[in-house]
């Protein structure tokens, strides 16, 4: 970048232009809807188990097929987003997941629920590849972790809304109506997305100063790269193995926490919503705080390598107390410990999600995110099967919480060994 351009770039964000945060708001809303649709099966688990006489293994089977689809769809949508861009990629994803979500209202057996969850998994797998590609297009590197943290916080807002809204819909109507009503949210978002989203260079609301701020990083070619090449790069596996170790923990939180609170603290559909919402409210602070911390470290002159890894190490330490969660008899003390772990997960995840855009060319970001999401979903499949087996056999969460407490250290170690400096990849 020429010296004459530096004052323009340095002051662009301060003088004019905040429209990129409108785009971030759209991504936030989509992620919230994504998690409302995703988490409903967990919130309704006690209700559906009572009606259909499911075992833990039956529930694990339904979760398993969601994750099979998520694994297949994530890597596919990564490629779709790299070829078609965020606007079309997101559109395809939300159409598939909204139709599949509403189809849950027609299900009446484990097989039918598994089929609906499979479709949901295919569609929802497009959320993060498309969202991260949009952040890559709309934000400079110094803001990406924070922007990803903000839109990733939509996951927690969705997880807060779900246990408050869904029980009210079930009590007022029934669980089938709850799927139909929440499906409308996706339709409304899609209309807004299609009306508002464009690439920043094509958007009438983006001025020259904001465009200069967005494009301040050295240019790289937006050319889709073959998976065969990306799979030979160590940094692809640094990201993918990080996902493999932490994604199953989040799936466990998302799908089994409602049942855990229901059983461990003798709660019901009317009373477990507030503790669950509190846990995900804490998660929101983690998501935004984790992105903010590493972004501030970079602005203070530290390298992205130091900023990302130091933040992730702190997060790994914060998860450790969950090992003792099952021995806590007071529900609100348990909420604090579990909420600290879910907040740390989201902070860790916000930084891990940033790595592809930090170190890969723009045209490879969606594919790398897709590969990582697929590997993470494979880990989630194993965790779903293991959780169902352990709970059916023992009824104890002790082993599961021990896995949660250690997974983030293993993930960070994998990232560091495979990419010690987080250097830019030339492919």
């Amino acid at each position: 970048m020429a010296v004459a351009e530096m004052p323009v770039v340095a002051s662009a964000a301060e003088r004019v232009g905040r429209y990129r945060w409108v785009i971030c708001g759209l991504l936030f809303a989509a992620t919230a809807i994504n998690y409302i649709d995703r988490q409903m099966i967990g919130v309704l688990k006690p209700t559906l188990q009572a009606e259909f006489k499911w075992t833990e293994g039956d529930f694990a089977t339904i979760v398993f097929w969601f994750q099979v689809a998520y694994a297949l769809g994530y890597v596919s949508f990564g490629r779709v987003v790299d070829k078609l861009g965020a606007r079309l990629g997101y559109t395809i994803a939300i159409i598939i997941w909204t139709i599949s979500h509403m189809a849950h209202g027609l299900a009446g057996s484990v097989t039918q629920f598994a089929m609906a969850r499979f479709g949901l998994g295919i569609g929802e797998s497009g959320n993060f590849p498309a969202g991260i590609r949009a952040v890559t297009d709309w934000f400079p590197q110094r803001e990406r972790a924070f922007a990803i943290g903000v839109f990733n916080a939509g996951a927690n807002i969705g997880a807060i809304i779900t246990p408050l809204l869904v029980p009210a819909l079930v009590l007022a109507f029934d669980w089938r109506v709850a799927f139909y009503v929440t499906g409308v949210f996706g339709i409304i978002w899609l209309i807004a997305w299609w009306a508002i989203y464009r690439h920043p260079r094509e958007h009438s609301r983006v001025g020259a100063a904001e465009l200069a701020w967005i494009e301040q990083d050295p240019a790289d070619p937006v050319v889709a790269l073959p998976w065969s090449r990306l799979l030979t790069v160590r940094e692809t596996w640094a990201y993918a193995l990080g996902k493999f170790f932490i994604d199953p923990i989040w799936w466990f939180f998302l799908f089994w926490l409602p049942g855990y609170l229901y059983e461990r603290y003798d709660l019901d559909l009317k009373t477990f919503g507030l503790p669950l919402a509190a846990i995900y409210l804490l998660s929101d602070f983690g998501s935004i705080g984790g992105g903010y911390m590493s972004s501030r470290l970079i602005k203070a002159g530290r390298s992205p390598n130091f900023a990302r890894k130091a933040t992730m190490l702190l997060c790994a330490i914060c998860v450790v107390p969950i090992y003792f969660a099952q021995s806590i008899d007071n529900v609100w003390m348990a909420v604090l410990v579990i909420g600290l772990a879910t907040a740390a997960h989201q902070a860790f995840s916000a930084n891990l999600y940033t790595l592809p855009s930090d170190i890969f060319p723009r045209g490879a970001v969606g594919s790398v995110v897709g590969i990582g999401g697929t590997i993470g979903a494979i880990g989630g499949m194993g965790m779903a099967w293991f959780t169902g087996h352990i709970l059916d056999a023992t009824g104890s969460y002790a082993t599961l919480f021990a896995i949660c407490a250690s997974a983030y250290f293993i993930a960070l170690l994998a990232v560091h060994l495979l990419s010690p400096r987080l250097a830019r990849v030339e492919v």
Side-chain angles (χ1 to χ4, degrees), residues 246-298:
I246 74 164
D247 278 12
I249 309 306
W250 185 247
W251 298 120
F252 168 71
F253 291 147
L254 198 66
F255 295 131
W256 269 275
L257 270 183
Y260 172 74
L261 295 174
Y262 186 93
E263 297 163 10
R264 176 68 176 82
Y265 299 102
D266 197 27
L267 304 179
D268 59 24
L269 194 62
K270 296 179 181 179
T271 56
F272 78 76
L274 282 177
L276 195 61
I279 287 170
Y280 290 110
L281 180 61
L282 292 172
S283 302
D284 245 353
F285 290 106
S287 181
I288 297 172
Y292 178 80
M293 178 178 172
S294 64
S295 293
R296 288 294 299 174
L297 286 170
I298 291 172

Side-chain angles (χ1 to χ4, degrees), residues 120-245:
L120 185 71
I122 292 290
E124 289 206 339
S125 65
N127 184 73
F128 284 102
I132 292 170
R133 173 58 187 268
V135 168
T136 304
D137 288 341
W138 275 86
F139 290 86
Q141 183 185 47
R142 68 177 67 190
E143 289 183 335
R144 283 179 197 156
F146 183 56
I148 289 173
V150 169
F151 99 70
N152 191 41
N156 306 308
I157 293 299
I160 291 166
I161 292 171
T162 308
L164 300 177
L165 173 64
V166 172
L169 290 173
V170 173
L171 293 171
F173 303 102
D174 61 31
W175 62 264
R176 296 182 189 275
V177 171
F179 281 107
Y180 303 143
V181 171
T182 51
V184 174
F185 299 158
I187 297 171
I188 294 171
W189 183 89
L190 180 59
I191 294 169
W193 175 256
W194 198 251
I196 294 172
Y197 189 87
R198 301 289 187 279
H199 191 277
R201 278 196 165 271
E202 300 168 358
H203 212 296
S204 60
R205 299 292 299 275
V206 177
E210 185 172 15
L211 187 63
W213 177 261
I214 291 169
E215 297 181 345
Q216 65 182 270
D217 300 320
D220 53 30
V222 184
V223 178
L225 297 165
W227 290 331
S228 58
R229 178 69 186 96
L230 294 174
L231 290 172
T232 65
V233 178
R234 288 163 56 96
E235 285 76 9
T236 299
W237 290 101
Y239 176 71
L241 287 179
K243 296 285 286 178
F244 179 81
F245 290 116

Side-chain angles (χ1 to χ4, degrees), residues 75-157:
V75 71
S76 302
F77 265 109
R79 200 64 173 168
V80 167
V81 168
D82 280 342
K83 286 185 175 294
L84 301 182
R87 188 172 189 241
L88 272 177
Y90 235 137
T91 299
I92 295 168
I94 201 163
I95 288 173
I96 295 172
W97 101 51
T98 299
I99 292 172
S100 300
H101 172 72
M102 297 178 80
H104 284 69
L106 303 174
S109 67
V110 170
T111 299
Q112 290 170 353
F113 272 100
M115 291 171 63
R117 295 302 285 180
F118 189 90
L120 185 71
I122 292 290
E124 289 206 339
S125 65
N127 184 73
F128 284 102
I132 292 170
R133 173 58 187 268
V135 168
T136 304
D137 288 341
W138 275 86
F139 290 86
Q141 183 185 47
R142 68 177 67 190
E143 289 183 335
R144 283 179 197 156
F146 183 56
I148 289 173
V150 169
F151 99 70
N152 191 41
N156 306 308
I157 293 299

